[in-house]
Amino acid sequence: RRSQTEARISIFKNGSLFGRTIVTGQTAALNTVMECTAFDVSPAAGDYYEVKVFQSSGGNLNLKMATAPAWRSSFQAIHLVW
């Protein structure tokens, strides 16, 4: 059985996994769009968040901004007060 390439975006809160998106089967020839969203309804002072990306192809699958203005590599965090 042939193993598939895997790409992951993971969000960690205070060192613990908080959200994750996994895509399998992508190659360098594909322009794969990945999005990972997590909602924290009870953040506290001192909480910290990390975003980590991983891919298992063994080759380069770069994060990059595409040529169209609507596609870009980005990270955004918003603190909403209820």
Side-chain angles (χ1 to χ4, degrees), residues 6-10 20-24 26 31-37 53-55 63 71-72 74:
E6 178 180 284
R8 294 190 301 249
I9 300 174
S10 302
R20 175 173 283 166
T21 298
I22 299 173
V23 175
T24 58
Q26 80 283 358
N31 289 320
T32 303
V33 175
M34 295 180 67
E35 180 179 320
C36 185
T37 303
V53 294
F54 168 83
Q55 62 89 10
L63 294 174
W71 300 99
R72 58 193 73 187
S74 64

Side-chain angles (χ1 to χ4, degrees), residues 50-71:
E50 300 169 276
V51 176
K52 298 180 182 181
V53 294
F54 168 83
Q55 62 89 10
S56 66
S57 75
N60 292 333
L61 294 177
N62 297 322
L63 294 174
K64 64 181 179 180
M65 183 171 167
T67 56
W71 300 99

